[in-house]
Amino acid sequence: MHLLWENVIKNLILLWTGEYKGIDPGCEAYELERDVWAAICKATATSGKTIPSVYCARPPNPDTERTMCTADSWSFWTQYLGPVLLQQKFSKMKYYKHFVKLVKMIRVCLQFELSKTDVQDLRTGFVSWINEFEEIYYQHELQRLATCTLTIHALAHIADSIEDSGPVWTSWAFPMERFCGRLQAAIKNPTCVLLPPRRQGVGAVEISHVNKIFKALATRFGVPLATIKRHITAGQIEQWGKVRRLDGGDTMLAAGLVKTQHDSRNATFVRYETLVDRHARQRNAPPVFEKQTFYGRLQHIFVVRIPSHPAFSLVEPTVVFLAAILPCPLDHSPSRLKSLDIHLCGNIGTSLDIVDIVCVQCLVGRVPLDGAGGRKWAIIDRSGNLARAVFED
């Protein structure tokens, strides 16, 4: 895959910035203004503050720190940052669409499993992409022949290579810890461990949060709120600062208890899944639950000790682990980023969503949308079926 990160992507950027072997745009207009590219690079480096460190090393500025850009950082930029930051930056939409088409095929290449249909789609897709590349950058002019590099031609043989050797992760040069982590997750029950800091005893949890916890417990056990208040006190609730998934997953921080420094990486925004009643707004309709995905900032991690009591249908004491999350409202308006499974959201809300801690899946990153004045973000969620390089110290 270094073919893509160290050659194809770098050459595209050189073309967009007018630095490719002295070749001008010719009859096209794909070059970016100098200040536009500088702003994209600055936003790339700034995104490190809102993307957890488990995703990748802090993204360098491709303009001023080009020597620090590794294949791994170019991989992350291409799949997640580029599609967000390049939106509406080209003079014609066809240049952006051409780039996104490449990203989609790269993501197919990075899947752990590919069907025969996937391979055939890659074969025809890369040939089509190369033809469009020649129309845009080569323009069938002899003096522009330098744009048609061997690495561009090699894209047409990726499908053949996959048929001969299997998916790219079977033969790439990146470490395989991520794949081993997925194997490990398949042979153990999903669970998590709580990590300090820890608060317990009277005053460990704010009264307003206690009331929300009691309401969540009433729903969980199917009892009136008064029953919860009768048998559980605030002193039975403690608060923790971090939770780590034990299936090779992430360590997530609770923003309400762990205070991060200004220049630290943000590891508080998470993806979580809950069951939602499809007929919630229909008073007399029977409930039909379906799993939905949400994003938000993990604010608190609560541990509640429930006594054994017939009211709770418990024959022995139990412990309930809850996560309090400030959800990010998703933007459901049409966006080309959705085809890349990159979701848009607004700023976090003010009402806590109390869920079971097993609903919290992983960390996500955020990239601010240009021109939105800090009111809109693109969610970077790398928890899908894509293989990726992981570098362990």
Side-chain angles (χ1 to χ4, degrees), residues 260-386:
T260 56
Q261 300 298 321
H262 175 70
D263 60 347
S264 63
R265 309 292 292 275
N266 194 320
T268 63
F269 281 81
V270 298
R271 175 170 67 84
Y272 63 106
E273 297 176 346
T274 63
L275 293 175
V276 178
D277 182 7
R278 188 188 302 171
H279 300 154
R281 297 185 179 181
Q282 302 176 29
R283 180 175 300 177
N284 299 321
V288 176
F289 293 100
E290 58 183 8
K291 186 167 64 175
Q292 291 187 15
T293 298
F294 301 90
Y295 300 94
R297 186 172 68 188
L298 179 61
Q299 285 293 112
H300 306 281
I301 301 166
F302 299 122
V303 176
V304 188
R305 305 188 183 280
I306 311 294
S308 59
H309 196 278
F312 304 131
S313 300
L314 295 175
V315 296
E316 60 182 20
T318 189
V319 180
V320 175
F321 301 87
L322 300 173
I325 301 172
L326 289 175
C328 297
L330 287 177
D331 184 348
H332 297 289
S333 58
S335 170
R336 291 183 176 85
L337 293 174
K338 290 185 177 180
S339 64
L340 297 174
D341 199 27
I342 296 177
H343 302 277
L344 305 182
C345 73
N347 286 326
I348 57 175
T350 57
S351 179
L352 284 175
D353 194 0
I354 307 290
V355 300
D356 193 292
I357 203 163
V358 298
C359 297
V360 182
Q361 301 296 308
C362 63
L363 286 170
V364 298
R366 298 174 301 144
V367 179
L369 285 186
D370 182 57
R375 297 186 301 273
K376 270 192 179 182
W377 301 78
I379 296 292
I380 304 300
D381 181 5
R382 57 93 205 254
S383 60
N385 64 340
L386 302 182

Side-chain angles (χ1 to χ4, degrees), residues 235-263:
Q236 294 168 259
I237 307 174
E238 60 187 50
Q239 189 173 177
W240 289 74
K242 303 175 185 177
V243 58
R244 177 187 297 160
R245 293 287 300 226
L246 290 183
D247 53 0
D250 302 328
T251 298
M252 296 158 275
L253 278 58
L257 197 56
V258 179
K259 303 302 181 183
T260 56
Q261 300 298 321
H262 175 70
D263 60 347

Side-chain angles (χ1 to χ4, degrees), residues 22 35 115 121 150-151 170 175 283 291 312:
D35 57 343
S115 66
D121 288 344
L150 178 62
T151 52
T170 62
R283 180 175 300 177
K291 186 167 64 175
F312 304 131

Side-chain angles (χ1 to χ4, degrees), residues 99-115:
F99 170 69
V100 169
K101 184 177 181 179
L102 176 64
V103 175
K104 289 181 179 179
M105 290 187 291
I106 288 173
R107 288 192 165 193
V108 175
C109 291
L110 291 177
Q111 291 177 182
F112 275 101
E113 298 179 358
L114 290 90
S115 66

Side-chain angles (χ1 to χ4, degrees), residues 20-33:
Y20 188 81
K21 300 182 180 181
I23 296 178
D24 61 31
C27 62
E28 295 286 348
Y30 52 75
E31 281 192 8
L32 299 169
E33 295 291 337

